[in-house]
Amino acid sequence: AMRSVARERPSLLLCNGPGTCLPVCVAMRLFTPFSGKVVFVESICRTTSLSLTGKILYHLRLADTLFVQWPGLCDLYPRTVHAGRVF
């Protein structure tokens, strides 16, 4: 992950769900701290709380934008954005 992000220098990382995206998100913060954006889309299955990956990205502020698909999650996690249903 580190080598790929350092070589490619992406301007946007869009990830959804699995914990395997965490190393790439950390690499984005290390190699493109001001120019690269991290956007995380939480699974529609998460109706009452964020996934472990979502919680880590939220609490460590690794994601610039964290989209949730249920409005109730915005009440529990105020920095999230309700996106409605994302297909």
Side-chain angles (χ1 to χ4, degrees), residues 4-87:
S4 296
V5 171
R7 183 180 61 243
E8 297 296 328
R9 302 279 179 171
S11 59
L12 175 70
L13 173 64
L14 177 64
C15 50
N16 65 338
T20 55
C21 75
L22 284 174
V24 183
C25 293
V26 170
M28 281 288 286
R29 284 292 159 244
L30 292 175
F31 291 107
T32 59
F34 304 109
S35 61
K37 302 294 180 196
V38 177
V39 177
F40 181 77
V41 180
E42 186 61 89
S43 171
I44 196 166
C45 299
R46 304 304 301 195
T47 60
T48 59
S49 68
L50 295 177
S51 62
L52 180 58
T53 304
K55 288 177 183 176
I56 291 170
L57 292 174
Y58 181 84
H59 291 296
L60 294 180
R61 296 178 185 257
L62 291 174
D64 294 297
T65 307
L66 202 149
F67 288 109
V68 294
Q69 299 185 50
W70 293 93
L73 287 175
C74 287
D75 298 333
L76 296 172
Y77 304 96
R79 291 190 322 271
T80 60
V81 176
H82 177 244
R85 292 176 65 187
V86 178
F87 294 100

